[in-house]
Amino acid sequence: MAIDPTLLREIIMDHYEYPRNKELIQDDSYLSRHMASDSCIDDITVQSKIANGKIQDIRFDGTACTIATSSTSIMTELLVDKTVEEAKEILENYFSMIDQKEYDEDLLEEAVAFQNVGKQANRINCATIGWKAMRDILKESEGE
Amino acid sequence: METNKIREDFPILKRTMSGKPVVYFDNGATTLKPQPVIDAITNYYTYLGANAHRGDYEMSGQVDDAFEGARKTAQKFLNAKHVEEIVFTSGSSMGLNEIAIMVTRQYLKEGDVILSDESEHASSYLPWLQAGKEKGTKIDFIPLDEEGKITIENFKKVLTDQVKVVALAMVSNVLGFTAPIKEMAKICHERGILLVVDGAQSTPHLPIDVQDLDVDFYVLSAHKMCGPTGVGVMYGKKKYLDELQPVFYGGESNARYNKCGDLILKESPLKFESGTQPIEGVIGMAAAMKYIDSIGKENIHEYEVELKKYFLEQTKDLENLIVYNRNAESGIVTFNMKDKGQLIFAQDVASFLNTQGIAVRSGQHCAKLLPDILQVPATIRASFYFYNTKEEVDRLVAALKEVTLENCVDIFF
């Protein structure tokens, strides 16, 4: 894919050094998912407020590596204000990209920065931890 | 020590990783295997073949000789008084679990205290935690000093009449400090306390004499000392092994039983070895013990410490490096890297080192209480063994000089 790697790297660095929405909230109207059992190190919590079929807010916090932090930060920006259906489609495309399958890069915007994360197979979990948390939250919001 | 000659015994050292000759510095996790160990395992599958203790034919007899011969090798390796004190297990974790379950069931009562510490591996701590839940035993911690080590002074501070067991590693797998086991054993025995020692990280590197140390139980894993995975030793003083009832039951461990529910177990160690053992593993472990002995534990320890000192010398101007265990006399270096004053997450550094062909470990190294002491979420551990070289340390140092946050992220492009 013809995207300048320098640009992709800058996206990751920027979201790692200045993570967006990295603050949890005490509010019962938020659904929350603590991801601590997938790996030994990364330990993050994702929260989201979903109302009327639409994602109103996404937040996260925790201790995590560059890839886990930046990928979760990008996810929070990308999915906010989307409908649950739109968000599910984006999630599906993101996981396809990570698995080196076909995906729609227009839907993923900055998240395409992680297109090569599979080159370091042990880091796939880092690139998906926040996204899996959000996938679980969406399922929960639909009563699954 | 003739390292170059020794390296020829390890076929795996000829392989590459990330397109470069592999530098294997994850010996704390597991070690590489020399040809004599590989040959011993292969010989079981290509020649010996039969089960142990069962058959009336030549092949089976040869297996018995090899299997029980391995027990004698292990006895000599640890200088145990009796061969019956050597029980084969799947490794240190299994041994520690069995000891915790048996001792808790038979020797402990509600309110009794097991002393542990915050640098323990999960396998030395969790078995006591879980085994104690039914009985209502309690775990207390020996406070670590400012460097993270165990001292006799701190040990004495937490000794109460309730303490019935002290369970700890002889060498910490994260920091590499050696606990004063012999002195602790003396104090324990004056007070009727059992001393259970996790030898996973000490056996591969230090001369071990269980009689001189006077430990009550001692476990080891073969794979951390050039042997196969899935096998280890649980040493216990004969008087305890004779008294204790095993955790597992089945074939080979019983002498006879009937429909009325009577059961006569075999004597130790066979009563603890239900089911077919990893025979090739036991034989391979004995080959590893002989191999280690041929090099000499004193030489191994001295050489590892020399490699660590060399690393510290070569990195003394590397301002971005934080070493957490400078003073630990072992081949373990636990560190983190900074960039512009900020800690780089350990896993990012380890992944960068992988691209340079260097294998290290990042994380909490199964000692999840320790980050509270070190006050960092994770560390990188480079652990040396006798087949590593100064040239390999040079490669690590060169790679660390290249570590920046940007370079760590660059590996994904």
Side-chain angles (χ1 to χ4, degrees):
Chain A
M1 200 169 313
I3 306 176
D4 181 6
T6 319
L7 181 69
L8 297 182
R9 186 186 69 198
E10 272 168 22
I11 293 171
I12 293 178
M13 298 271 293
D14 182 53
H15 277 271
Y16 177 64
E17 293 182 292
Y18 310 100
R20 323 291 199 267
N21 305 307
K22 193 164 181 279
E23 191 185 8
L24 296 179
I25 190 170
Q26 293 274 1
D27 184 336
D28 290 346
S29 65
Y30 280 70
L31 293 172
S32 180
R33 181 86 171 86
H34 181 204
M35 304 291 279
S37 59
D38 277 30
S39 86
C40 272
I41 316 181
D42 297 322
D43 182 330
I44 68 165
T45 299
V46 175
Q47 293 181 324
S48 180
K49 181 172 179 158
I50 299 167
N52 308 319
K54 203 170 157 192
I55 298 167
Q56 315 286 331
D57 190 20
I58 312 177
R59 293 155 174 270
F60 81 107
D61 204 359
T63 306
C65 67
T66 49
I67 299 300
T69 303
S70 57
S71 65
T72 306
S73 170
I74 287 172
M75 182 274 292
T76 64
E77 284 201 323
L78 188 58
L79 298 190
V80 76
D81 293 333
K82 299 283 193 295
T83 65
V84 170
E85 288 313 312
E86 287 165 344
K88 275 162 61 177
E89 198 186 350
I90 294 169
L91 281 163
E92 205 174 292
N93 275 276
Y94 183 78
F95 288 116
S96 292
M97 176 184 79
I98 298 292
D99 290 344
Q100 310 282 312
K101 292 182 195 146
E102 278 194 25
Y103 64 97
D104 182 349
E105 63 176 85
D106 293 337
L107 280 177
L108 294 184
E109 301 180 26
E110 283 189 323
V112 296
F114 301 100
Q115 59 186 261
N116 287 328
V117 83
K119 273 166 71 176
Q120 306 278 334
N122 62 320
R123 304 300 294 277
I124 288 174
N125 190 50
C126 310
T128 52
I129 184 169
W131 294 71
K132 283 181 186 158
M134 194 59 203
R135 185 172 62 186
D136 289 352
I137 288 175
L138 289 178
K139 278 184 189 162
E140 193 185 337
S141 79
E142 292 181 313
E144 279 180 36
Chain B
M1 222 164 58
E2 291 179 80
T3 311
N4 285 331
K5 201 165 155 281
I6 287 169
R7 288 175 70 83
E8 285 170 19
D9 292 337
F10 290 80
I12 202 168
L13 289 172
K14 293 184 184 73
R15 68 160 282 174
T16 58
M17 190 171 82
S18 306
K20 299 181 173 69
V22 66
V23 172
Y24 186 78
F25 284 159
D26 197 14
N27 294 292
T30 197
T31 51
L32 307 178
K33 317 306 173 201
Q35 197 62 50
V37 169
I38 298 167
D39 288 345
I41 295 165
T42 308
N43 184 53
Y44 173 71
Y45 286 122
T46 53
Y47 183 70
L48 292 171
N51 209 329
H53 304 138
R54 310 260 162 99
D56 298 313
Y57 48 91
E58 185 183 347
M59 277 168 76
S60 178
Q62 288 166 341
V63 171
D64 286 353
D65 287 347
F67 190 81
E68 289 306 320
R71 205 185 299 276
K72 289 197 186 87
T73 303
Q75 178 199 2
K76 204 173 137 228
F77 193 75
L78 297 175
N79 194 34
K81 193 171 182 188
H82 307 283
V83 71
E84 296 82 5
E85 293 173 327
I86 304 296
V87 178
F88 296 128
T89 62
S90 71
S92 303
S93 294
M94 179 178 168
L96 291 170
N97 273 279
E98 285 186 88
I99 295 163
I101 292 168
M102 295 188 298
V103 166
T104 303
R105 272 185 197 158
Q106 279 177 257
Y107 293 158
L108 302 186
K109 59 177 195 312
E110 193 182 343
D112 283 348
V113 168
I114 297 106
L115 281 185
S116 179
D117 67 86
E118 286 176 273
S119 68
E120 287 309 311
H121 189 283
S123 294
S124 172
Y125 169 69
L126 294 180
W128 295 101
L129 182 75
Q130 291 303 106
K133 281 183 175 166
E134 294 165 27
K135 259 284 163 70
T137 56
K138 190 171 163 276
I139 298 181
D140 276 352
F141 296 94
I142 305 166
L144 299 171
D145 76 355
E146 65 289 348
E147 282 189 300
K149 26 175 227 296
I150 289 169
T151 63
I152 290 292
E153 296 70 51
N154 280 348
F155 174 52
K156 283 180 179 164
K157 275 183 207 161
V158 283
L159 279 175
T160 61
D161 290 344
Q162 282 69 51
V163 175
K164 294 289 163 11
V165 174
V166 173
L168 81 170
M170 182 159 174
V171 171
S172 144
N173 75 309
V174 183
L175 296 173
F177 288 110
T178 305
I181 294 297
K182 193 175 170 178
E183 227 178 319
M184 291 174 85
K186 193 164 173 281
I187 296 168
C188 284
H189 295 147
E190 281 164 9
R191 308 176 68 112
I193 297 170
L194 286 176
L195 180 60
V196 180
V197 174
D198 173 2
Q201 296 290 343
S202 50
T203 322
H205 312 280
L206 297 170
I208 300 296
D209 180 333
V210 289
Q211 292 186 74
D212 179 58
L213 291 170
D214 200 22
V215 294
D216 298 304
F217 296 92
Y218 186 95
V219 302
L220 64 91
S221 293
H223 74 94
K224 292 196 196 285
M225 40 178 282
C226 297
T229 56
V231 65
V233 168
M234 171 175 79
Y235 161 84
K237 281 184 182 163
K238 193 167 180 304
K239 60 176 167 181
Y240 299 122
L241 292 188
D242 285 346
E243 276 175 9
L244 290 168
Q245 294 295 306
V247 175
F248 303 110
Y249 294 85
E252 196 53 43
S253 60
N254 71 82
R256 45 190 46 80
Y257 58 93
N258 60 29
K259 268 166 73 182
C260 309
D262 300 317
L263 165 65
I264 300 172
L265 290 172
K266 286 187 180 166
E267 298 287 312
S268 176
L270 293 184
K271 74 173 176 186
F272 299 106
E273 294 175 5
S274 279
T276 295
Q277 298 299 298
I279 300 170
E280 86 289 15
V282 166
I283 295 170
M285 173 164 68
M289 287 172 169
K290 286 177 182 163
Y291 185 82
I292 301 263
D293 271 344
S294 75
I295 295 168
K297 291 265 200 81
E298 285 88 354
N299 300 334
I300 290 173
H301 180 64
E302 196 181 311
Y303 181 69
E304 291 165 349
V305 172
E306 188 185 320
L307 285 180
K308 179 175 175 180
K309 281 189 181 143
Y310 181 72
F311 172 85
L312 293 175
E313 260 165 47
Q314 296 302 306
T315 52
K316 64 176 189 291
D317 298 325
L318 192 54
E319 284 173 6
N320 286 333
L321 172 75
I322 313 162
V323 177
Y324 298 101
N325 64 341
R326 221 164 259 281
N327 298 324
E329 288 268 315
S330 70
I332 297 177
V333 187
T334 305
F335 64 96
N336 264 317
M337 294 296 294
K338 287 185 297 185
D339 185 9
K340 300 180 197 87
Q342 295 280 325
L343 211 64
I344 309 178
F345 207 75
Q347 201 181 5
D348 290 309
V349 178
S351 292
F352 172 76
L353 292 176
N354 167 51
T355 65
Q356 306 301 305
I358 302 168
V360 294
R361 186 134 300 236
S362 73
Q364 299 166 341
H365 321 292
C366 298
K368 299 203 172 183
L369 304 176
L370 195 58
D372 291 347
I373 305 283
L374 300 179
Q375 298 184 326
V376 284
T379 54
I380 302 149
R381 179 184 70 185
S383 44
F384 309 134
Y385 210 19
F386 57 83
Y387 42 69
N388 292 128
T389 63
K390 286 190 179 168
E391 291 72 31
E392 290 181 318
V393 174
D394 287 339
R395 276 185 54 198
L396 173 62
V397 173
L400 289 178
K401 285 180 178 163
E402 298 297 312
V403 168
T404 58
L405 183 58
E406 226 165 70
N407 285 342
C408 289
V409 172
D410 248 357
I411 63 172
F412 296 100
F413 300 103

